[in-house]
């Protein structure tokens, strides 16, 4: 059956006016001799960029620039360790840079397609500390100020949520550690860049877990997935889950990131889930 749609003289007049205006509409030169009419913009659209991923270079500025501009990897921005730092834009934000590799966050995979990568000149691990743990190169305060301003600008322009400002270790915990435990996530979050949690809530929950016992690893898996991490399957080798816990600790409890799911880590995770939205009834009963 064919339906007939009513029309009004007013609607037809509006259509005629639109067609008439096309004669003076803005045109953009297209490839192969095509002219593209740019006078009408779709209302339903958004930025392709949903994530910002932070890295360290493991090398000094000159070598990092060469690798990121002429090698098989790239990033949108490089922040040097000069005084003052210099910010290079190596890839236009409209294009994908090859910085994330095999990655996942909040169910999105291969984040090169949907993220902006920022490399920070920093060597990362630089030896072994007295207690046997890795020693890390500190970030310069001026670098952090530059990174903070850059991330805030990108996030504002693309409407990126705080929980989607992440480190390479967050999106690829089985193979990456950058930007490392000395990157000041807490400081940046307190200045409006990134996500954090209520520390008093975390402390209280951690004390409760210490006295009443830890929730099981299945609970930990659910909560880590809820805040964005890709968790390994239950039958995966134990060190895979340990790597995910270590990545979470490196971001949110960097004083110790050994991958051991202890009461303090559980308290921080529960507080972060609480700050991110209402918990399910099954999870609330564990807290």
């Amino acid at each position: 059956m064919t339906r007939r749609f009513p029309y009004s003289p007013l609607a037809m007049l509006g259509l005629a006016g639109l067609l008439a205006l096309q004669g003076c509409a803005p045109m953009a030169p297209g490839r192969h001799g095509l002219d593209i009419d740019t006078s009408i913009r779709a209302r339903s659209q958004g930025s392709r960029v949903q994530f910002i991923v932070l890295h360290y270079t493991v090398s000094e500025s000159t070598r990092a620039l060469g690798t990121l501009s002429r090698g098989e990897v790239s990033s949108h921005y490089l922040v040097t360790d000069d005084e003052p730092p210099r910010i290079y834009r190596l890839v236009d934000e409209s294009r994908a840079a090859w910085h994330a590799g095999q990655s996942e966050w909040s169910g999105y995979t291969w984040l090169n397609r949907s993220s902006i990568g920022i490399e920070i000149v920093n060597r990362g691990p630089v030896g072994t500390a007295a207690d046997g743990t890795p020693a890390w190169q500190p970030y310069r305060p001026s670098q952090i100020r530059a990174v903070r301003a850059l991330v805030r600008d990108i996030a504002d322009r693309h409407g990126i949520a705080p929980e989607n400002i992440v480190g390479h270790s967050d999106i690829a915990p089985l193979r990456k550690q950058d930007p490392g435990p000395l990157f000041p996530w807490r400081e940046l979050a307190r200045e409006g860049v990134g996500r954090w949690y209520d520390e008093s809530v975390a402390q209280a929950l951690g004390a409760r877990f210490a006295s009443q016992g830890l929730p099981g690893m299945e609970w930990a898996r659910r909560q880590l997935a809820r805040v964005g991490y890709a968790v390994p399957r239950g039958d995966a080798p134990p060190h895979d889950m340990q790597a995910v816990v270590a990545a979470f600790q490196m971001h949110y409890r960097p004083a110790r990131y050994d991958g051991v799911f202890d009461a303090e880590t559980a308290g921080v995770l529960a507080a972060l889930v609480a700050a991110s939205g209402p918990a399910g009834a099954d999870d609330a009963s564990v807290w």
Side-chain angles (χ1 to χ4, degrees):
M1 179 177 67
T2 303
R3 295 184 62 188
R4 298 182 179 276
F5 295 92
Y7 63 89
S8 66
L10 183 59
M12 294 303 294
L13 181 60
L15 178 61
L18 178 62
L19 294 173
L21 284 174
Q22 287 185 337
C24 56
M27 305 294 287
R31 299 182 64 185
H32 307 295
L34 296 175
D35 288 327
I36 309 298
D37 190 327
T38 61
S39 62
I40 303 172
R41 297 294 302 273
R43 177 179 175 181
S44 300
Q45 60 176 294
S47 174
R48 72 156 190 90
V49 179
Q50 300 182 63
F51 310 97
I52 297 174
V53 182
L54 301 176
H55 309 255
Y56 56 51
T57 58
V58 195
S59 60
E60 44 79 30
S61 295
T62 302
R63 183 176 178 184
L65 275 171
T67 300
L68 294 170
S69 63
R70 298 191 299 273
E72 297 299 317
V73 295
S74 59
S75 67
H76 294 88
Y77 294 95
L78 173 72
V79 180
T80 73
D81 58 352
D82 301 309
E83 288 290 356
R86 187 167 186 173
I87 300 175
Y88 290 90
R89 186 171 69 185
L90 306 175
V91 177
D92 191 88
E93 290 183 10
S94 65
R95 300 179 64 81
W98 298 346
H99 64 98
Q102 186 174 353
S103 50
E104 183 173 347
W105 187 252
S106 293
Y108 291 84
T109 59
W110 293 99
L111 298 190
N112 282 342
R113 300 170 295 189
S114 55
S115 67
I116 286 179
I118 300 174
E119 290 274 0
I120 309 166
V121 173
N122 181 280
R123 291 175 59 196
V126 290
T128 304
D131 61 359
T133 61
W136 301 78
Q137 180 181 2
Y139 289 91
R140 292 177 180 267
S142 57
Q143 271 186 310
I144 297 304
R145 289 192 295 270
V147 170
R148 181 178 64 231
L150 177 60
V151 172
R152 179 178 286 136
D153 174 66
I154 295 168
D156 288 347
R157 286 188 288 103
H158 292 280
I160 298 172
E163 61 269 21
N164 291 336
I165 300 171
V166 293
H168 203 181
S169 55
D170 293 315
I171 65 172
L174 301 187
R175 60 188 186 87
K176 294 296 180 179
Q177 292 184 299
D178 50 322
L182 296 189
F183 188 80
W185 292 108
R186 178 175 181 263
E187 173 190 327
L188 265 63
R190 289 190 166 192
E191 297 180 6
V193 177
R195 171 178 64 177
W196 205 246
Y197 54 91
D198 188 317
E199 294 179 4
S200 62
V201 171
Q203 185 175 8
L205 290 170
R208 183 186 304 178
F209 289 135
S211 64
Q212 300 179 4
L214 284 171
M217 288 306 296
E218 185 55 37
W219 179 89
R221 288 164 53 83
R222 289 198 308 271
Q223 307 320 310
L224 285 166
R226 178 174 290 176
V227 298
Y229 289 86
V231 295
R233 301 189 321 178
D235 58 354
H239 61 73
D240 287 2
M241 186 62 181
Q242 184 177 2
V244 177
V245 173
F248 173 81
Q249 292 169 332
M250 195 173 286
H251 191 134
Y252 296 104
R253 204 277 303 270
R256 192 167 80 251
Y257 50 92
D258 53 10
V260 175
F261 188 67
D262 55 14
E264 186 179 10
T265 302
V268 171
L269 179 55
L272 188 63
V273 170
S276 301
D282 59 328
D283 297 316
S285 64
V286 175
W287 305 0

